Amino acid sequence: MLNSTSSANSYNEADARPIDSLETLLDRPLFVAGWDWEKTLYVLLIVTALITRLYGLGDRVQSHDESIHTRYSWNLYTGRGFAHDPLMHGPYLFHATALSYFLFGDNDFSARVPVALMGVALVAFPYLLRRWLGRSGALATTFLLLISPAIAYYSRYIRHDIPVALWAMIVWSSIFAYLHDGRSRWLYTMAAGVSLMFATKEVAFIYSAIFGVFLVVLFLNQVLSRRWPVASLNVAFLVLLGVAAAGLGLVALGVVRQQEGAGLASWAIAGGAVAGVAAVAATVVLLYALGAELRSYRSFDLIVVLATLCLPFLSPALVSLMGLDPIDYQPPTIYTTAIVTAGVVAVSAMIGLFWSLRRWSIAAAIHYAIFLVLFTTFFTNGFGIASGLVGSLGYWLKQHEVQRGNQPQYYYVVMVSFYEFLPWLLATLAPVFIGVRALMRRRNHGDRMSVDQGDTRERGATGDRAQGRPVRATREMHPGSDPAVSERTFVPFLLWWTALAWLAYSIAGERMPWLIVHITLPMIVLSGWLVGRLVDAVDWGQIVRQRAWILALVFPPLLMAIAALGRAVAARPFS
C-alpha cells in the first residue's frame, strides 16, 4: 500500500511551483509543514462520514432483521451465550454488537455503532490504495463511498454487508500489495481478511471466487507467456485446461437449471468429475514442466494460500454431489460429511505445507485462530466448528433453490438505476475511456515511430534507439515477480470484479436490497479510478490562468433554470 514519502523540503518546492496539476495542489502545505491539502480533504471527508453515519443513529425503529441480530447479541452480552446458526449468517456481527453493548450500554444507538464505524473505515480505506488508484482517484473513491445511498444506508443498519465489504477490501488490497513487493505480511493480512469474511457472511464465497479466478487467469497468462522446456507439455496443459473448463461449464449449467427439491443432474455431476480429474492432471503437468520455477510467481503464492484456506468451506458441495444433505447432522450422513471435510482439510494442509512450511503455517494459524474463536464463541460452542465449515455453504445451497424474495433476475438493474446511477454510469464509461485511450496511445506511438525512423534515415544513425526500436533491459525480470504486474492488472481486475459481481448476484437465488452493496462497491472503486484519471488529465494551471473556474459558479444556477423550465413545461402552459 502506498504511503506518503514527501519531506518538508518537497512541500516547500511544491508551494513555490505554479499549479499545473492537482498533484501540485494536493502537495501544497497547509497550516504546518507536513500537513497538506490532501490530508485536509481526507479529514473533512472522514469527519463527514462520522457525522452521516452516527448522527441520529438510534432514532429509527429497528427492522425485523435488526431485531433478530440485536436479540441474539443481547443474549451473548447478558451471559446467555451464543450458538452460530447459518440462518443468521456469520458470528462476527453478534460478537461485535455484544462488545458494543458492554462498552456503551444496550440501546439502539450502541447496537448500530459497530457497523457504522466500519462504514466510516470503508470510506477512509481508499487512502491506502493511492498506489493503484492515484491520489486524485483515491479521493474520488472516498467521496463516492461517502455519498453512496446503499453504503450510507446500510452503514446505519445492523447487517453483515458493510463489515464483509470492508474485509473484502482488505483481501484484494493485500493481494495487489503482495503482487507489488512480495512481502509475506500481505499473505498474512489476506488470510485474516478471508477468515473474517467467512465469519461475517456467506457472500465470502462469491468474493473469494471472483478474486481467486482472477489470480488463476493472471497466473496462466504469466505461465503461458513463457517458453516451456518441452513444447508438447505446453500443448497437453492447454488441452487439459480446456477439458476442465468444459466440465465446470456443465456444472454451472446444471446448477442454473436445477429444479427446486431436485438433485443435480447426472450429466452435471459427471462434468464436475471430469473437471476435477482434468484439473489434477493439468497440475501434475505444470509441476513436472516448471517445477521449482513456480515459486517465482507471486500469483501462484496467492492462489495456494487463498485456495487452501477456502477449500475446507467447499466440503458441503462435495457432499451434495454425492446425493447427501450436508446439513443433515444425523447418522450416517454426518459421518460421511465428517470424513469428506477432514479429507479436504488434510489435502489443503498438505498442499500448503509443501508450498512453504513457514509461510503457510503462519497464514493458516491466523485464519483458523479467528475461525475457532468466533464460530465457537470463545470455545463455548464446539458445534460451531461443524456449523461454520459445513453449515455455512450447506444451508445457503438449499436457499438457492428456495429463492427467498422471489425477485426477477433484472432486480438489481432496477435497484441500481434508482439508487446508484452515478457509479453505474461512470463504471459503464470506464471501458470506453480505456479503449479510446489505448487507441490514442497506439496511434501516437506509431506517429513517434515514423518520425524517429525518418530522422534516422536523414542522420544515418545506427543503434536500437536511433532506429526506433525499444532498448532492451540489461537484466530481464521474471514475469512472476515483476512489481509492475500489480499496476498493469489493477484496472482489468476492477473490470473483472464489476462484471462478475453483476453476474453472480443476478444468478444467485436470493436477491435482496442489501446485496446491492456488493455490486456497488466495485463500481465505485472503478468510478473513482476513472474520475482520478480524468481530473489528472486537466491542465489546471491553464484553467486558473484563464479563470475558467468561473464557469463552475454558473453551473448550479443553470441546473436550477433547467429544472424550472422542466416544471413549467410539465404544467402545459400553452394548452
Side-chain angles (χ1 to χ4, degrees), residues 343-470:
V344 174
V345 171
V347 170
S348 299
M350 287 189 293
I351 294 173
L353 293 172
F354 177 76
W355 164 71
S356 176
L357 175 62
R358 178 181 176 275
R359 290 193 292 172
W360 190 85
S361 297
I362 296 174
I366 294 171
H367 173 79
Y368 285 109
I370 296 172
F371 171 84
L372 289 174
V373 168
L374 291 178
F375 277 95
T376 66
T377 309
F378 291 88
F379 309 104
T380 62
N381 172 38
F383 185 72
I385 298 174
S387 64
L389 279 179
V390 178
S392 296
L393 181 61
Y395 175 81
W396 290 101
L397 283 175
K398 296 180 71 67
Q399 292 305 308
H400 173 74
E401 303 172 7
V402 176
Q403 297 189 2
R404 296 192 309 176
N406 196 30
Q407 301 290 353
Q409 285 194 321
Y410 57 83
Y411 173 71
Y412 294 116
V413 174
V414 177
M415 293 292 291
V416 170
S417 62
F418 269 105
Y419 297 106
E420 299 292 347
F421 49 85
L422 178 58
W424 191 16
L425 174 62
L426 293 172
T428 304
L429 292 176
V432 178
F433 170 79
I434 294 168
V436 171
R437 187 178 64 167
L439 289 175
M440 293 178 64
R441 285 181 174 179
R442 182 175 300 178
R443 186 184 64 181
N444 293 337
H445 178 70
D447 293 342
R448 287 196 299 269
M449 291 286 288
S450 299
V451 171
D452 290 343
Q453 290 172 358
D455 292 343
T456 299
R457 284 192 295 269
E458 292 177 4
R459 296 192 306 265
T462 58
D464 283 348
R465 188 182 299 275
Q467 295 178 22
R469 293 195 300 268

Side-chain angles (χ1 to χ4, degrees), residues 75-303:
N75 287 345
L76 178 59
Y77 162 66
T78 55
R80 291 173 171 82
F82 173 79
H84 168 248
D85 187 340
L87 170 66
M88 297 181 291
H89 303 295
Y92 170 80
L93 181 65
F94 302 94
H95 291 75
T97 307
L99 176 62
S100 181
Y101 285 158
F102 175 77
L103 295 174
F104 309 113
D106 51 341
N107 53 67
D108 289 353
F109 179 88
S110 61
R112 296 183 174 120
V113 161
V115 174
L117 293 179
M118 297 187 77
V120 175
L122 186 63
V123 170
F125 199 86
Y127 180 80
L128 304 176
L129 305 175
R130 293 172 296 165
R131 180 186 301 279
W132 299 283
L133 287 171
R135 298 170 70 183
S136 305
L139 276 167
T141 304
T142 292
F143 177 73
L144 291 172
L145 288 168
L146 173 67
I147 67 172
S148 164
I151 291 176
Y153 180 76
Y154 286 109
S155 293
R156 299 170 55 87
Y157 199 100
I158 318 171
R159 282 205 65 86
H160 311 72
D161 298 275
I162 294 300
V164 77
L166 179 60
W167 307 141
M169 292 284 280
I170 291 174
V171 170
W172 74 256
S173 61
S174 298
I175 288 173
F176 276 87
Y178 184 78
L179 287 174
H180 177 75
D181 60 27
R183 295 183 182 180
S184 297
R185 64 183 180 184
W186 302 123
L187 295 176
Y188 309 146
T189 307
M190 182 185 73
V194 168
S195 187
L196 286 167
M197 279 201 308
F198 280 101
T200 303
K201 193 173 183 180
E202 290 75 14
V203 293
F205 289 99
I206 296 178
Y207 277 116
S208 299
I210 292 174
F211 301 160
V213 174
F214 177 81
L215 287 172
V216 170
V217 172
L218 172 61
F219 171 69
L220 292 177
N221 179 65
Q222 292 175 330
V223 167
L224 296 175
S225 64
R226 300 280 288 175
R227 183 183 298 276
W228 287 37
V230 182
S232 58
L233 292 178
N234 192 338
V235 175
F237 181 70
L238 287 172
V239 171
L240 290 170
L241 284 180
V243 173
L248 289 176
L250 290 176
V251 174
L253 183 62
V255 171
V256 171
R257 298 182 59 180
Q258 186 177 9
Q259 299 297 321
E260 181 177 348
L264 202 61
S266 58
W267 51 267
I269 296 176
V274 170
V277 173
V280 171
T283 303
V284 171
V285 171
L286 184 65
L287 290 172
Y288 179 78
L290 299 182
E293 185 186 348
L294 292 175
R295 298 179 185 273
S296 301
Y297 292 90
R298 291 173 183 167
S299 54
F300 180 75
D301 297 341
L302 291 163
I303 291 169

Side-chain angles (χ1 to χ4, degrees), residues 50 56 67 111 135 176 228 308 330:
L50 283 167
S67 66
R135 298 170 70 183
F176 276 87
W228 287 37
T308 53
Q330 301 299 320

Side-chain angles (χ1 to χ4, degrees), residues 454-489:
D455 292 343
T456 299
R457 284 192 295 269
E458 292 177 4
R459 296 192 306 265
T462 58
D464 283 348
R465 188 182 299 275
Q467 295 178 22
R469 293 195 300 268
V471 177
R472 298 179 181 274
T474 56
R475 180 182 177 185
E476 183 180 2
M477 178 173 289
H478 193 283
S481 57
D482 184 358
V485 168
S486 66
E487 282 78 11
R488 289 199 303 266
T489 59

Side-chain angles (χ1 to χ4, degrees), residues 555-575:
F555 190 65
L558 177 62
L559 290 180
M560 296 173 62
I562 293 175
L565 177 62
R567 289 194 298 268
V569 172
R572 304 177 65 183
F574 303 110
S575 59

Side-chain angles (χ1 to χ4, degrees), residues 311-320 326 337 340-342 344-345 389-390 393:
L311 277 177
F313 291 98
L314 297 177
S315 302
L318 297 178
V319 177
S320 296
T337 302
V340 170
T341 304
V344 174
V345 171
L389 279 179
V390 178
L393 181 61

